[in-house]
Amino acid sequence: MMRRWIVFRADKRQPGWQDRKYAHTGSLTKTLGEHYDCSDTPLPEVGYRPPEFIKVEQFVDAEYPEAKTHHRLSDWEVTSVETYTPDISGMGFDMIVICYCKYVPINAALQPMPERQMPVKQTVNV
């Protein structure tokens, strides 16, 4: 299984640049989102839209008050993909993937997040 760090970045001159800030510093960024992927699924391709996760207050679960309640396809569309392989193996990632995106708004429907799956505890009888 390959360990990949996938980063979605805004292409140059895309709207909303003044709103994209790092939470911990407030500095501006072109990064739209990122995730660590340990699956064997194909890499995002041109035309892919990363998911957007949204919290709709009326659907908040009191047990998880900060959790997102819905998702949809985002208004960002991948325009190109670059991949980088580290020179030294075993350093955390097998591949770094940069997906450049342009802002192409769509009217994607909100979908509820799937139910949380709790692991089933198995007991062993001795």
Side-chain angles (χ1 to χ4, degrees):
M1 189 169 334
M2 185 171 269
R3 298 166 302 166
R4 305 178 292 194
W5 180 31
I6 302 175
V7 181
F8 295 92
R9 292 183 50 91
D11 280 336
K12 291 181 180 180
R13 298 179 189 84
Q14 293 300 304
W17 61 269
Q18 65 275 23
D19 299 322
R20 288 191 296 275
K21 298 179 182 179
Y22 285 116
H24 63 291
T25 64
S27 61
L28 295 175
T29 179
K30 288 185 177 184
T31 301
L32 302 167
E34 57 186 65
H35 69 271
Y36 186 69
D37 178 63
C38 287
S39 72
D40 291 323
T41 59
L43 293 176
E45 297 178 343
V46 171
Y48 175 81
R49 290 178 179 267
E52 178 180 14
F53 300 98
I54 301 160
K55 180 169 82 170
V56 179
E57 291 299 328
Q58 71 188 60
F59 296 105
V60 170
D61 182 339
E63 192 172 346
Y64 304 98
E66 297 305 315
K68 305 299 185 194
T69 60
H70 291 73
H71 65 94
R72 71 179 200 105
L73 293 179
S74 77
D75 289 331
W76 292 93
E77 183 177 52
V78 173
T79 58
S80 63
V81 178
E82 294 178 358
T83 59
Y84 301 93
T85 305
D87 293 334
I88 303 170
S89 63
M91 298 305 290
F93 302 106
D94 298 311
M95 181 182 290
I96 297 171
V97 182
I98 310 294
C99 299
Y100 294 95
C101 303
K102 67 180 176 181
Y103 185 71
V104 184
I106 59 172
N107 189 14
L110 282 178
Q111 302 291 324
M113 293 293 284
E115 291 290 322
R116 287 180 179 77
Q117 299 294 317
M118 301 302 289
V120 176
K121 257 185 154 176
Q122 294 184 355
T123 57
V124 177
N125 294 331
V126 182

